[in-house]
Amino acid sequence: MQIIKPLTLSLLATGLFSAVNVSAATETTLLTCNGCSPTQMEAVTQHHLRTHKDEVIAVVDYQNEQASKFQVNQVTNKYGKTVNELMTVDLTAEESDNINAIIEARKALVALMPESVVVTPEATDGTKSHFHAHMLTTKPSFNFDYQYLYYGSFTQQVNVYDFMQASYLRNKAYHEYFGDNYTTYLFSTLSKALISFKLPYDIYDGIGLHMNIQFENANHESTGSAQVAIDPKKETFNVISASDADKNTIPVKKEEIAGQMFAFTSNDNKAAFDSYIEQFSSATEKCQSVNNRQLGEVSLHTYQCSETKAETATETASAK
């Protein structure tokens, strides 16, 4: 494990440091493992290799400002099974510089972020909504299951389903949260450094920093929540996961609907869910509730995405 030499914030602030780009030929996959031991870093790498075939992987511990780089070799074990063997190698000078830049820019970003922020809805006269900082003591914490640092939360008075589907709402929340101040330079530094690495995520998330958004209606009643990642390249929030007012995990892929049971405390909540999953239906496939039962005041529905039977001319005539 290499200890990354810290860059001073003054260098970043004055723009005297610029990230060095690594060529595609030496591209290294970048993983996050905060607060990890060397053994845990290897475990994170092996877990990643279950679904990926990368040859070189760097694992960064932003919390302790350390990094390990592994060369991945496929070998045959004594049982005749092909397995991934990890060999520790040194980071290149360019990779070290870029990881330095990510760590320092990320630290400065966290220092600028309020611990908890509430967003007021847009005023009826069209004026821009604004933030009110609250004296809460939400501290960063480590969750090894996801390998990310969580930092505080803020509230949005918008529908959680709309937030997931409408990019303008995510963009708006991002720009209102961070504004156009010192963070612009920090994100520029992050983007230049991160582009040097291969990021394995389905969505952009290269700095291992997640935030929580609580959604509420005009009466300040909870309507759901979301875990989001900061995307400095697109200047937006990317949704990692979300839940609705009834604590259902909101599907982000069609595969997350099939055979799953969802609970609803009202017809309105079910209607909102049905409207959201309509995006996964097509001309030949319909995603809908196929079975339901009542459990007290809660309605339990099992959903499937099934092929729709095309109505033939004979069936149409018979129906008439």
Side-chain angles (χ1 to χ4, degrees), residues 261-282:
M261 183 179 291
F262 299 88
F264 305 102
T265 56
S266 71
N267 291 332
D268 287 344
N269 288 358
K270 180 181 180 299
F273 181 86
D274 288 344
S275 178
Y276 169 79
I277 67 167
E278 183 65 29
Q279 66 181 304
F280 301 113
S281 296
S282 66

Side-chain angles (χ1 to χ4, degrees), residues 57-69:
I57 295 175
V59 185
V60 182
D61 180 348
Y62 297 106
Q63 185 172 314
N64 294 317
E65 300 182 23
Q66 297 178 334
S68 290
K69 182 179 176 181

Side-chain angles (χ1 to χ4, degrees), residues 106-119:
R106 186 177 177 278
K107 283 198 302 183
L109 175 62
V110 169
L112 288 173
M113 292 167 62
E115 291 182 319
S116 183
V117 174
V118 175
V119 184

Side-chain angles (χ1 to χ4, degrees), residues 104 132 142 151 199 216 220 239 253-254 271 285 317-318:
E104 291 301 323
H132 293 291
F142 172 64
Y151 198 86
L199 302 176
E216 61 181 31
H220 301 292
V239 178
K253 299 178 181 178
K254 183 173 65 176
E285 192 174 38
S318 298

Side-chain angles (χ1 to χ4, degrees), residues 236-256:
T236 191
F237 287 125
N238 288 325
V239 178
I240 302 295
S241 64
S243 60
D244 61 19
D246 291 319
K247 308 302 181 185
N248 294 302
T249 298
I250 300 175
V252 294
K253 299 178 181 178
K254 183 173 65 176
E255 293 73 25
E256 297 173 355

Side-chain angles (χ1 to χ4, degrees), residues 165-184:
Q165 292 181 285
S167 60
Y168 82 91
L169 289 175
R170 299 191 298 274
N171 299 345
K172 182 173 181 288
Y174 176 96
H175 284 285
E176 288 183 335
Y177 189 93
F178 291 110
D180 298 319
N181 50 28
Y182 183 51
T183 54
T184 300

